Amino acid sequence: MTLKLAIVPVTPFEQNCSIVFCEKTKEAAVVDPGGDLEKIEDALSKLDVKLCKVLLTHGHLDHCAGAKELAKKWQVPIEGPHHLEKFWLDQLPEQTVRFGFGEAEPFEPDRWLLDGDTVQLGEHELKAFHCPGHTPGHIVFYDEPTRLAFVGDVLFAGSIGRTDFPRGNHADLISAIKTKLWPLGNDVHFVPGHGPMSTFGRERQSNPYVGDGV
């Protein structure tokens, strides 16, 4: 039983939208559909999978501006992020126009997620971790059997998320990475919101912001 992954870069920000699906049931979730829905739907078709839900790590427009439209078209629920992201989701209409993303409606997910909640995807159970700092209600999704995490803009290969946005907090971000992510294990691979994948172990060795030697 394996969780399969395809990454579809979307929006002018080259955000890593992920299509993740249960190999056995072919049930799929789209993580952070920020836009370019035709690219996402083309990938779903080529993978021959059935979209069952949309998962959101946080409320920044490049991660969620296409979520409502995609969920409505496919008649699937949106799960995540944490309810503290309502602050950002309410600003979507203004933000999308400002950055040339077209128009998007403000929305609330069908299910807000709390730290420790789980999300079912086929025969897999993704665990949700509340990791604030980049934004107040950021969620990280983790599949233990596959040792795979979807960390949004919390952590990157060689860097960490910005904390200079409204309601960002640098100390909270560092704490979330060290207390929520590192204990999962050095062998965990993660998909960041932007840029290449990495492992927690690699970042503990060399990340200049949260490495063990910092």
Side-chain angles (χ1 to χ4, degrees), residues 82 84 113-116 128-133 135-140 176 180:
H82 186 281
L84 289 175
L113 295 174
L114 299 174
D115 191 64
F129 292 90
H130 178 213
C131 294
T135 63
H138 201 300
I139 288 288
V140 164
K180 301 282 184 71

Side-chain angles (χ1 to χ4, degrees), residues 47-88:
L47 292 167
D48 192 26
V49 294
K50 179 186 177 184
L51 180 61
C52 293
K53 57 188 61 180
V54 171
L55 304 180
L56 297 180
T57 62
H58 65 294
H60 282 167
L61 77 166
D62 55 322
H63 291 257
C64 70
K68 185 65 175 178
E69 183 181 346
L70 183 66
K72 184 177 181 179
K73 180 176 180 179
W74 289 72
Q75 296 186 308
V76 300
I78 300 172
E79 299 190 34
H82 186 281
H83 62 82
L84 289 175
E85 285 304 276
K86 187 176 187 300
F87 166 77
W88 281 108

Side-chain angles (χ1 to χ4, degrees), residues 111-127:
R111 180 190 177 201
W112 296 107
L113 295 174
L114 299 174
D115 191 64
D117 281 348
T118 57
V119 172
Q120 198 68 35
L121 182 61
E123 296 189 352
H124 289 259
E125 192 174 75
L126 305 181
K127 189 170 183 179

Side-chain angles (χ1 to χ4, degrees), residues 137-158:
H138 201 300
I139 288 288
V140 164
F141 296 97
Y142 173 58
D143 181 61
E144 185 171 6
T146 311
R147 314 295 288 157
L148 180 64
F150 301 86
V151 303
D153 287 354
V154 169
L155 180 69
F156 302 105

